[in-house]
Amino acid sequence: MNPLFVTRPALPSLEEFIPYLEQIWERRVLTNGGPFHAQLEKELCEFLGVKHLSLFSNGTIALVTALQALRITGEVITTPFSFVATAHSLLWNGIKPVFVDIDPETLNIDPSRIEAAITPQTTAILPVHCYGHPCDVDAIEKIADTYGLRVIYDAAHAFAVECHCGSVLTHGDLSVLSFHATKVFNTFEGGAIVCGDAKTKQRIDHLKNFGFVDEVTVVAAGINGKMNEFSAALGLLQLKGIGAAIASRRMVDARYREGLGHIPGIRLLDRSSANRSNYAYFPILVEPEFGFGRDELFDELRGRSIYARRYFYPLISEFPMYRTLPSSQRSNLPVAHRAAQQVICLPIYPDLTVDDVDLVVSVIARMRSRRPQLAASEQPLTHVSA
Ligand code: T4K
């Protein structure tokens, strides 16, 4: 049986890519803002409905640079329920992460808990549109405006996602995308920062190129975050197929929802915060009613060569460089801890077949039917007579 991985990168045919490679060979411009780079920035702005976008070599360097671009210091409020890169970008800037618990329905940062975490050192909020489901952007904006905080969205999962008022990427001061191989839109590796004005884009572009303005002028301690021409060329080609790729993902998502929606103890996440979804991930929560724990289901799937992933377990706040922070205490993050114990992301990618989806569903359904029944002697005692 062929293994099923949590994702598999969508790729165009090699024949379609060769003419792009031929142009690169002819021009000998491999990187440093070549013509494919310029064209992809332009086409992505049009496709995503955003004003300005700067391409990067990956999403993590884009996050680190976004914090530099806005000169963020001190403390930043963020979520523990994400990929480590979210919080690592803060540490790389000497910023202290302050973790706030998540909403039990969306698994995004819970805006009602942000205010209590604000101190005189707080300068910004770094929320994540987890699995591509939009955060409560209005509530976050209101808090940021009240307290004079900046907002940088980690939108690594949110390519092409729309909320109630168009592209979710237009919210906050900056949004950061990832174009890693495992993402809905990939350029092998890659990323981008989306911003609303030309001046900020210019600062970001300086920062991603060592701080160079011209051959002899360096205005900031920048880094090398540039996307190369091979990645940009692939991006241009990927953009042609992105509509079909998202449509295929939507079909996979619908089939899972149909098959899993009625299995007791399997909770599906609501996507209604998005006007347009990208179906980047298919997370399920394994609740007590399922009769087996999340890790037992994870092992069962592995035994059938289905390599689902526990995104995001462990919580970021559990890793050694974060766990001594006051905000990492378990009592501060009860919802995130429960989600991290219950979540599994099932395989989802454009060429996952209906048979593959049905196989995953049947493994889960059959496991549920084998759940251990509590013997009468093991029933929990509700009353003990004297
Ligand atoms: N913020 C958030 C919220 C993020 O989720 C991420 C990245 C970032 C920031 C940082 O963006 P980047 O700097 O990565 O652009 C993966 C990805 O490496 C990572 O990009 C992603 N989030 C994270 C959620 O997942 P792993 O360690 O789970 O990847 P890996 O190599 O185990 O891949 C998962 C499966 O995908 C494999 O079992 C098989 C398949 N795969 C993977 C690769 C790399 C392929 O079929 N082909 C491939 O080339 O982290």
Side-chain angles (χ1 to χ4, degrees):
M1 198 172 63
N2 282 338
L4 294 181
F5 295 104
V6 68
T7 189
R8 205 160 164 253
L11 283 175
S13 71
L14 202 48
E15 292 72 47
E16 288 174 284
F17 196 42
I18 286 173
Y20 289 80
L21 294 178
E22 284 170 349
Q23 287 189 58
I24 294 175
W25 253 252
E26 248 166 56
R27 287 198 284 256
R28 307 272 173 129
V29 176
L30 309 186
T31 186
N32 285 7
F36 284 144
H37 180 282
Q39 195 183 338
L40 184 59
E41 286 197 345
K42 185 168 167 285
E43 289 194 20
L44 279 173
C45 281
E46 283 160 16
F47 178 78
L48 296 170
V50 300
K51 284 201 182 121
H52 300 279
L53 178 147
S54 296
L55 290 170
F56 275 80
S57 49
N58 62 66
T60 305
I61 286 289
L63 275 173
V64 169
T65 308
L67 291 157
Q68 287 272 328
L70 299 186
R71 300 181 174 85
I72 303 297
T73 57
E75 295 179 5
V76 169
I77 292 172
T78 191
T79 168
F81 193 77
S82 180
F83 189 60
V84 281
T86 307
H88 280 359
S89 70
L90 298 172
L91 290 197
W92 273 70
N93 278 296
I95 296 166
K96 180 176 170 188
V98 175
F99 297 113
V100 157
D101 209 0
I102 56 173
D103 178 277
E105 299 304 320
T106 63
L107 308 188
N108 285 328
I109 196 165
D110 182 346
S112 72
R113 296 182 178 273
I114 292 177
E115 271 182 288
I118 296 174
T119 74
Q121 283 71 48
T122 311
T123 55
I125 310 171
L126 177 60
V128 179
H129 300 299
C130 194
Y131 308 129
H133 301 166
C135 289
D136 186 344
V137 288
D138 293 334
I140 291 169
E141 186 179 326
K142 205 166 157 213
I143 297 164
D145 286 351
T146 306
Y147 291 90
L149 303 176
R150 301 290 216 145
V151 180
I152 298 175
Y153 280 103
D154 180 338
H157 304 170
F159 186 85
V161 169
E162 290 184 1
C163 59
H164 57 292
C165 57
S167 170
V168 77
L169 305 172
T170 58
H171 290 277
D173 295 281
L174 302 174
S175 288
V176 177
L177 289 159
S178 164
F179 304 150
H180 182 260
T182 54
K183 297 297 190 282
V184 168
F185 172 83
N186 85 77
T187 58
F188 303 129
E189 289 249 16
I193 303 180
V194 170
C195 68
D197 66 283
K199 204 170 153 216
T200 308
K201 172 168 165 57
Q202 192 180 57
R203 174 160 166 78
I204 292 166
D205 287 345
H206 291 156
L207 282 171
K208 79 174 188 191
N209 188 27
F210 314 99
F212 275 113
V213 173
D214 59 41
E215 264 180 56
V216 292
T217 317
V218 173
V219 290
I223 194 141
N224 181 357
K226 292 169 273 111
M227 177 180 278
N228 66 64
E229 284 290 274
F230 297 83
S231 289
L234 182 66
L236 287 168
L237 203 45
Q238 298 282 43
L239 214 42
K240 295 184 201 288
I242 191 68
I246 293 178
S248 302
R249 285 175 173 275
R250 184 172 58 230
M251 276 153 65
V252 171
D253 179 284
R255 187 94 185 169
Y256 271 136
R257 283 179 187 274
E258 197 186 312
L260 297 171
H262 303 292
I263 301 181
I266 296 296
R267 179 151 77 89
L268 311 182
L269 286 195
D270 179 24
R271 273 191 277 92
S272 60
S273 62
N275 260 8
R276 189 172 75 176
S277 298
N278 65 5
Y279 313 94
Y281 293 86
F282 198 89
I284 60 171
L285 295 171
V286 184
E287 298 190 321
E289 210 188 342
F290 185 67
F292 292 93
R294 184 274 311 274
D295 289 340
E296 288 170 295
L297 175 56
F298 179 75
D299 290 342
E300 179 79 11
L301 290 166
R302 289 222 145 192
R304 310 293 180 104
S305 302
I306 299 166
Y307 296 97
R309 291 295 287 267
R310 290 166 290 188
Y311 298 134
F312 290 99
Y313 161 84
L315 291 180
I316 300 178
S317 49
E318 295 288 282
F319 291 116
M321 58 299 293
Y322 300 104
R323 65 178 166 229
T324 55
L325 292 170
S327 64
S328 294
Q329 282 178 23
R330 220 186 161 86
S331 56
N332 185 45
L333 307 167
V335 181
H337 273 278
R338 194 171 60 239
Q341 289 301 326
Q342 294 183 337
V343 73
I344 298 192
C345 288
L346 300 178
I348 185 165
Y349 45 88
D351 51 0
L352 192 70
T353 66
V354 167
D355 288 349
D356 291 336
V357 177
D358 291 350
L359 173 73
V360 177
V361 169
S362 73
V363 171
I364 298 173
R366 268 187 275 144
M367 191 173 184
R368 157 72 190 175
S369 67
R370 295 199 322 263
R371 74 192 181 281
Q373 304 290 340
L374 284 186
S377 59
E378 290 169 331
Q379 296 287 350
L381 289 180
T382 50
H383 176 257
V384 182
S385 49

